[in-house]
Each structure stands twice: as structure tokens, then as C-alpha cells.
Amino acid sequence: MKNKTYNKKKVLVVFLAAVTVILGLIGRLCYLMIFDAEYYQKKAEALHEREREIKAARGEIVDRNGTVLATNRTVCTISVIHSQIKDQERVIEVLAEELELEPKVVRKRVEKVSSMERIKTNIPKEIGDKIREYDLAGVKVDEDFKRYYPYETLASKVLGFTGGDNQGIIGLEVKYEKYLKGQNGMILTTTDARGIELDGIAEDRIEPVPGNTLQLSIDYNIQKYAEQAAQKVMEEKQADGVSILLMNPQNGEILAMVNVPEFNLNDPFTLTEEFLAANAEKQPAADTKDPEKKQELLNQMWRNRCINDTYEPGSTFKIITSSACLEAGVVKLDDTFQCPGYRMVEDRKIRCHKVGGHGTETFVQGVQNSCNPVFIDIGLRLGVDKFCEYFKQFGLLDLTGVDLPGEAGTIMHKKENIGAVELATMSFGQSFQITPVQMATTVSSLINGGVRVTPHFGMGIVDREGEKLEPFSYPERKGVVSKETSATMRTILESVVAEGSGKNAYIEGYRIGGKTATSQTLPRSANKYISSFIGFAPADNPQILGMAVIHDPQGIYYGGTIAAPVIRDIFDNILPYMGIERGPVSETKEEE
């Protein structure tokens, strides 16, 4: 009896344990089916779904008139799905032949067990279509986009280029990446347990969203003509490079920015012959075989000298010194000076470019003659404190804010290290360095009535019809100088072109203002020079400011002789194009 009761208890315990386990399993199953159903459904779908990305078309870049400067070409990506291949040898044979790849390279990728293996990207559409016609099981041909630049070298160091993933690398392509990149789409297909796509089940598509169209302030025609002018003077003077910047001084819109030698945007990783020739002394040809040294050369080739490099501005800086001294009241237009051909500052003899000197001259004549002793005198009158104060007020210690990456800052003495000699040399543009875009921007503020504008390329985002969807705005700062000082500077600089050292920039019927410069690069013992000219028109109401910088010209290297004519020729062609008409010819010029 006792055993019977004991056995009943054992059976009951086992029964209850079994019921508990079963109830636990039922509870767990209910939980999975009700509360975790969505999670496991997604897991199951993931096992039977294959995803293929559809790349979005990158937004186009157009000039101010709608001319397309950067667009896309349809290319193809060839991939294989290992589990779906039926005739492996045929697939290897066709892909090796059509894609011009080694059979062993193709075989390695085809035989790799993976959900999808890419064979080659950026294939011309014609080849992709041809492979599609073979109808090979397991071979996928997906259409893609590759960046294409219709004008190849035009504004190459401004536009920049994209990488293999269609992402911006340098220039405006990377600056405006968020507007241009778009949003990729997706193709979803259903497969069985072996990874073979199931017939009769429609594929899902998430359509890509193309990038926005970016409109620039650049004018294709002006940019093209400026590049031709830069190329011409570079060849004539056998220079290392030539930079040209054309902008509207009233609002900061950049109409053209040239840095020759340019490079081919459709083949940006190939060093150009022009670049190698210009840098032959510094970089032996053998360096192109070393990957690290080649990358250094590519970085140099891609540099935008207007933005990324600093230089001693030389006599064009006299525009800034003159404006500061007039604003501070330390000089008047009819003040007279003596120039014996040099000026002694402490124990240092600082020479004028005219060895015999200019003799007696007024301040205006000193500007016309680009006379160093005159500027030494007024610089010393201004003093270190005021000089540094105006240097800051004019914005020279800040970046311009131009919408290109990598803008270099001004290289300037610390205030406590500026003595009489340093102040003297700084007054005519030596012993410190700024960028060309900084120089152009600062001069713009001194001739436009005293407004510091932000130089820029991006005007806004537009739709396919060219209507603005999102215009860009840029900060301005008024009161850099008084309107009276600005008007005086326009008059003085017009006289520099009409009667002084900038006469080679004169155009009959147009009122042109400007200033020449010739500066020596460091080290001085190398005897290398930078010739430059900055000019604007019309002188009474400037609508365009142009700057030419010629790096290490051979032979005659004076800015007034070789840089001023470059801006003259450009202005002569583009001023009528811009709708700026010629005025009556002055009597002085008629007599000459």
C-alpha cells in the first residue's frame, strides 16, 4: 500500500513537471507569435531577401546662366550571385572577355561563396547592355552613375571632383556635398533557402532621390576667356603658374577663378605634362613611380593658389596702406615727399624701384609712381598701433569665408615684434603674406564704399527649370572705410592707370582703376618673382574687379609690364559682354 502511494506521487510529480514544461513552451510560443512576431518575421525575410543598392544621380552643377559644368553619365556595375550561377565556366569566359580582365581574376571572384560579389564597377553602359544580352544566370547588371565634366579642365581647382563612390573629394564638390549627393534607392528580391531568386514574386524597389542642382556665380564664357588669357601668358613667360580672379566687388560673386596649369576633372589622378614640366626642377620624374611621392604631387596639382597659398602682395598692398592713412588723416592728397631713390630706416637702406629716385612728388604722384619712400613715410606716420588696428579693421586677420575648403590665413608679425624697419617694409607689401582671394576681397571693400563682402561661388539650389528653390546668403560688414575715403581711392587708382605705373591696363573708352606689383619670393637669393595687377571697372562704380598673379615669370617680370596687359585684354573682351558700355574718350588720351 505504501509503495502504491509512493508511485502515485512519483507519477503526479512527473505529470506536473511535464505539464509545467508544456505550459512553459506554449507560453513561450505565444510570446514569440504575438509579441516577438515582427522581429522574427524580419529575420526570416532577411534570410530570403537580397538587397541591391540603386545609386542616386548626383546633382548637377551649372553656371550663372544654366550652362552645365558637372553632370552624370550612366555606367554599370557587374556582380555575380554564387548560388544562382548555372554555368560557371561560361560566366568566367564572358566576363573576362567583355570586361577585359584576366580569367584568373574573374574566376577568383565568381567562385567566392558570398551573397553577392562585385566583378567591376563604372563599366560603360554599352558594355553593360551587351553583358545583359547574354542572359547569364547569376550575373547582375545594375545601372549606376559616374560624375562627368563636359569641359574637362574648366575651373578644375574650383569645381573639384568625386571619388569612386561618387562622393566629393575636393573643391565645390565636397563643400556642397549635402546638396549634391542625393539619397540612394534599393532593389529587394526574394530567394529560396539556396539563395535562388523565386519566379513570380515581384521585386520591391525603393526609388533613389537625385541630388539638387547647384547654381554657381561663375560665368562659363568669362571663365573660359580668363583661362585662355592665363594659358597664353604662362606659355609666353614660361611661368610656373598663373592665377586669375574676377569678382563683383559689390556683392562678392566670383565670375571666374583660374589656376593654370589646370587638370582634367575626368581623369584627376593622372599628373598632367604641364604640371610636371612646371615642377621639373623641384620634383624629379622618378617621383611619379613612388606612390607616396605621387600622391604629394597630385595634392600639389590640385591646389588652388587663389585660396590655399599665401604670397607677399608687394605694391598692390599700397592700396590698403593708402586707404588706412587717408582714413586716419595722416596724409593729404597734395602732401609732398622727396624720393632720392632710397630711404634710411634706422640702420637699413630701403630702395625705391627707380634707382635715381622720383625727386619731389605729391602723395597722388607717389601712388602713381608706386614709390616706396613715399609709403615708408606715410606708414611711419601711421605708426605700429594704428597700422595693426586698420589691418584688423579691414579684415586682413580673418579668413574671407569663401565657400571653398582649405582657405589659408594671413601670415603676419606679432604686434610686439614690429619695429620701424618691419613697419616700413609692410607699408609697401613685404615681410608678411596673404592669399590672392584675401587681397581681392579687401580691395573690393575699399572701392565699393566700405562694405566687406564675402567672396563666393554658390548662388543657390535650383530646380530642373532653373527656378531657385533655396538662394544662399552671405554676411556683409559695413563701415570698413568711409564712403569719402573709398571715393578718393577710386579716383587715385584711376589716375594710376591713366597716368601712372598701371598704364598698360588702360582701355580706350573705359574708366579703369588699378595697381601693379612686383614682389620677390623667399628666399630672396633665389631671384624668383611674382608679378601681379589688380584692377576694376568702371572706376566710378566698380562692377568687376580683376586680379592676375604670375608666378616666377622668365625674362621681364614687372607687374606693370606683364600682368596689367592680362587684365586689360580680359576687360576689353568681357566688359561689353557684361553690358558695360564704353564712354567718351578723354581729351588727354586723344592728344596722346
Side-chain angles (χ1 to χ4, degrees), residues 211-360:
N212 295 298
T213 297
L214 172 67
Q215 185 173 43
L216 305 181
S217 57
I218 282 179
D219 186 305
Y220 165 78
N221 294 310
I222 295 177
Q223 176 76 25
K224 187 67 177 174
Y225 190 80
E227 284 191 10
Q228 291 172 349
Q231 192 67 41
K232 180 183 176 185
V233 73
M234 180 178 171
E235 292 173 0
E236 288 177 351
K237 300 305 298 181
Q238 297 180 323
D240 281 352
V242 177
S243 299
I244 293 176
L245 171 60
L246 301 170
M247 66 183 282
N248 184 337
Q250 304 294 340
N251 59 20
E253 290 179 358
I254 298 175
L255 303 176
M257 183 178 283
V258 178
N259 291 275
V260 292
E262 302 276 0
F263 62 91
N264 189 341
L265 289 167
N266 294 318
D267 187 19
F269 293 94
T270 297
L271 293 163
T272 64
E273 290 183 9
E274 266 191 318
F275 172 79
L276 290 172
N279 290 270
E281 289 182 18
K282 295 179 278 186
Q283 300 287 346
D287 283 357
T288 60
K289 296 176 182 178
D290 183 311
E292 288 188 10
K293 289 182 178 178
K294 183 180 179 181
Q295 187 58 54
E296 288 178 15
L297 287 170
L298 286 170
N299 291 337
Q300 290 177 35
M301 185 177 76
W302 299 335
R303 286 184 74 81
N304 183 332
R305 275 177 150 161
C306 289
I307 305 289
N308 306 136
D309 292 350
T310 58
Y311 78 117
E312 284 190 354
S315 293
T316 52
F317 191 80
K318 291 172 181 175
I319 300 173
I320 295 167
T321 303
S322 298
S323 300
C325 290
L326 287 169
E327 188 77 354
V330 299
V331 68
K332 294 183 174 58
L333 300 185
D334 56 358
D335 282 359
T336 57
F337 301 84
Q338 284 293 326
C339 171
Y342 62 91
R343 186 71 83 233
M344 292 298 300
V345 180
E346 293 183 340
D347 59 346
R348 184 169 169 184
K349 189 175 189 179
I350 303 175
R351 299 185 180 278
C352 183
H353 66 88
K354 187 174 182 181
V355 178
H358 294 99
T360 303

Side-chain angles (χ1 to χ4, degrees), residues 31 38-39 100 172 258 301 387 397 481 510 566:
Y31 179 82
E38 188 178 347
Y39 170 76
E100 298 180 352
L172 295 173
V258 178
M301 185 177 76
F387 188 94
L397 295 178
V481 290
Y510 283 114
V566 174

Side-chain angles (χ1 to χ4, degrees), residues 467-486:
E467 296 295 323
K468 275 195 175 61
L469 299 177
E470 184 183 340
F472 298 153
S473 60
Y474 299 88
E476 292 184 349
R477 179 167 59 86
K478 297 181 179 180
V480 174
V481 290
S482 65
K483 290 183 178 180
E484 292 73 21
T485 297
S486 182

Side-chain angles (χ1 to χ4, degrees), residues 63-274:
D63 82 341
R64 65 190 303 113
N65 302 312
T67 302
V68 177
L69 304 179
T71 185
N72 307 290
R73 273 187 171 175
T74 303
V75 292
C76 294
T77 296
I78 312 299
S79 307
V80 292
I81 300 175
H82 184 269
S83 60
Q84 297 179 8
I85 296 174
K86 294 179 180 178
D87 188 345
Q88 186 171 283
E89 294 304 319
R90 178 64 174 156
V91 168
I92 293 170
E93 178 190 345
V94 170
L95 296 185
E97 181 181 344
E98 296 296 342
L99 300 178
E100 298 180 352
L101 293 172
E102 288 290 330
K104 62 181 181 181
V105 174
V106 178
R107 180 178 296 279
K108 184 178 178 181
R109 294 174 185 172
V110 168
E111 291 179 348
K112 184 177 179 181
V113 180
S114 62
S115 58
M116 181 176 286
E117 187 70 20
R118 283 186 179 181
I119 305 299
K120 198 172 182 180
T121 59
N122 291 329
I123 303 303
K125 189 175 184 299
E126 304 77 47
I127 295 177
D129 290 340
K130 192 173 179 181
I131 292 174
R132 192 181 281 119
E133 289 172 3
Y134 284 99
D135 197 22
L136 298 168
V139 177
K140 298 297 176 185
V141 181
D142 293 319
E143 290 192 355
D144 200 347
F145 296 99
K146 184 180 180 182
R147 204 59 161 160
Y148 175 67
Y149 303 90
Y151 303 106
E152 296 188 333
T153 60
L154 187 90
S156 63
K157 298 175 184 181
V158 172
L159 295 177
F161 56 89
T162 61
D165 57 357
N166 237 15
Q167 197 169 25
I169 292 181
I170 67 168
L172 295 173
E173 288 279 24
V174 70
K175 178 66 178 180
Y176 289 101
E177 174 72 15
K178 68 177 181 179
Y179 296 103
L180 295 167
K181 67 179 180 179
Q183 188 174 336
N184 292 341
M186 195 73 68
I187 299 174
L188 302 172
T189 57
T190 305
T191 67
D192 61 16
R194 295 170 296 168
I196 298 174
E197 290 184 9
L198 298 174
D199 294 329
I201 299 179
E203 64 180 22
D204 291 329
R205 289 176 67 93
I206 300 173
E207 294 299 331
V209 179
N212 295 298
T213 297
L214 172 67
Q215 185 173 43
L216 305 181
S217 57
I218 282 179
D219 186 305
Y220 165 78
N221 294 310
I222 295 177
Q223 176 76 25
K224 187 67 177 174
Y225 190 80
E227 284 191 10
Q228 291 172 349
Q231 192 67 41
K232 180 183 176 185
V233 73
M234 180 178 171
E235 292 173 0
E236 288 177 351
K237 300 305 298 181
Q238 297 180 323
D240 281 352
V242 177
S243 299
I244 293 176
L245 171 60
L246 301 170
M247 66 183 282
N248 184 337
Q250 304 294 340
N251 59 20
E253 290 179 358
I254 298 175
L255 303 176
M257 183 178 283
V258 178
N259 291 275
V260 292
E262 302 276 0
F263 62 91
N264 189 341
L265 289 167
N266 294 318
D267 187 19
F269 293 94
T270 297
L271 293 163
T272 64
E273 290 183 9
E274 266 191 318

Side-chain angles (χ1 to χ4, degrees), residues 412-429:
M412 170 72 166
H413 295 287
K414 289 184 178 180
K415 183 178 176 181
E416 56 268 26
N417 295 334
I418 301 176
V421 173
E422 288 75 22
L423 180 59
T425 55
M426 287 168 64
S427 69
F428 55 83

